[in-house]
Amino acid sequence: MSQKQWNPEQYKKDASFVPKLGQHLLELLQPKPGERILDLGCGEGSLTLEIAKSGATVIGIDTSAEMVAVAQANGVDAYQMNATELDFEMPFDAVFSNAVLHWIKTPEKVLNAVHQHLIKKGRFVGEFGGHGNVMSAQTCLIEALNQRGIDGNKYDPWYYPSQEEYAELLDRNGFEVEMIELYQRPTPLGEDVMPWLKLFSDSFLQALPVSEHWSYLEEVARNLRLRLPKEDDEYILDYVRLKFVARKKE
Ligand code: BEZ
């Protein structure tokens, strides 16, 4: 399956809540002047720049060339790189990641790469989608493919571990878990679900010819509207986050 393509303009318009809702993670990271920190999946770099305000030297990486170009234009020292194939000569005091790790279905590879790039006792701090994340949307996307005779699960791009599962994985890969917590974060999507679906469902769309994309998305959107609660005219999606602070053991 090909890698998710990000459109920085569309992301800014329909997903600007992602870095905003990640601000609280800076308190978990506690960046300090002089530290060397890697932002894994920096996107357009807004949280990277926030971290840099501490006086730390921050480098961002992202798989998307378009996002890296925007981050660089925003003043971030950013590189196009895969989180599973980090390639830096000097180790980091800390690695940070917001809203990225659920896109990578090989979490052990990420943990190995992070482990190799941290100093001894260096910290890995992050947040991503945990067990049950956006389940309403995921179910509608999968079911609409199943109804077309396609195994929808095969096109699901997301990794949403439970707290226990990820804590165990961190431990098994050389990290001491200082804090890990799964929590519900119901998130307003705006007046309609379609912008969110268009931005995030390309993996599912790969199962279908282009001529069927729109009718598929319309069906998913119809079903999703029926499932989601609304507040002040905004649909609320069932986001679940898994946040953690882990320290390299050796
Ligand atoms: C998330 O940040 O949890 C997320 C965003 C888009 C699609 C799926 C999950």
Side-chain angles (χ1 to χ4, degrees):
M1 207 160 291
S2 70
Q3 201 143 46
K4 165 131 188 62
Q5 301 292 310
W6 293 101
N7 175 332
E9 278 306 307
Q10 205 186 355
Y11 190 84
K12 193 172 171 191
K13 185 166 153 285
D14 296 321
S16 60
F17 64 84
V18 175
K20 276 190 202 126
L21 295 176
Q23 286 275 353
H24 69 283
L25 296 173
L26 302 189
E27 278 160 41
L28 287 184
L29 178 64
Q30 298 196 356
K32 294 170 198 64
E35 279 192 328
R36 202 174 128 77
I37 297 181
L38 178 66
D39 184 358
L40 198 151
C42 63
E44 23 65 64
S46 39
L47 279 179
T48 328
L49 291 171
E50 286 297 317
I51 298 169
K53 283 184 188 164
S54 66
T57 299
V58 193
I59 294 177
I61 62 139
D62 207 283
T63 50
S64 159
E66 291 80 6
M67 286 295 200
V68 167
V70 176
Q72 287 171 344
N74 287 338
V76 175
D77 185 11
Y79 301 87
Q80 186 183 13
M81 204 181 282
N82 230 307
T84 54
E85 290 161 16
L86 298 178
D87 188 14
F88 292 97
E89 276 184 6
M90 275 177 64
F92 293 91
D93 296 285
V95 175
F96 171 82
S97 182
N98 178 44
V100 168
L101 300 176
H102 52 259
W103 290 104
I104 308 173
K105 284 198 151 177
T106 50
E108 287 202 282
K109 285 192 180 169
V110 178
L111 293 179
N112 280 332
V114 170
H115 195 271
Q116 276 173 28
H117 283 80
L118 277 173
I119 60 163
K120 198 174 167 184
K121 302 278 179 199
R123 55 209 195 279
F124 183 27
V125 176
E127 180 170 291
F128 64 110
H131 185 69
N133 191 43
V134 302
M135 195 184 272
S136 318
Q138 186 185 33
T139 305
C140 292
L141 286 157
I142 291 172
E143 279 178 356
L145 284 184
N146 290 349
Q147 268 165 15
R148 286 162 171 75
I150 297 165
D151 179 2
N153 279 306
K154 261 179 54 185
Y155 293 88
D156 180 348
W158 299 313
Y159 165 67
Y160 296 140
S162 67
Q163 185 174 311
E164 294 70 25
E165 191 181 337
Y166 202 64
E168 199 270 328
L169 200 66
L170 281 161
D171 179 64
R172 194 149 36 87
N173 284 278
F175 292 90
E176 193 175 322
V177 179
E178 292 189 349
M179 187 284 288
I180 187 159
E181 185 188 331
L182 187 84
Y183 69 100
Q184 315 286 323
R185 195 202 66 196
T187 302
L189 291 190
E191 284 177 9
D192 195 23
V193 298
M194 192 55 105
W196 190 94
L197 285 174
K198 281 202 216 157
L199 191 55
F200 294 123
S201 36
D202 35 353
S203 171
F204 297 94
L205 291 174
Q206 282 174 31
L208 297 167
V210 175
S211 58
E212 290 177 32
H213 284 184
W214 188 243
S215 57
Y216 168 75
L217 283 178
E218 280 194 319
E219 181 183 326
V220 174
R222 249 191 330 272
N223 293 337
L224 188 55
R225 286 183 202 111
L226 294 175
R227 276 177 185 253
L228 295 185
K230 275 184 109 174
E231 258 173 45
D232 300 327
D233 268 347
E234 291 202 72
Y235 287 98
I236 310 291
L237 189 55
D238 45 359
Y239 273 68
V240 179
R241 310 319 275 171
L242 185 56
K243 63 179 171 182
F244 64 91
V245 177
R247 213 168 267 281
K248 178 169 166 170
K249 287 180 197 165
E250 294 299 333

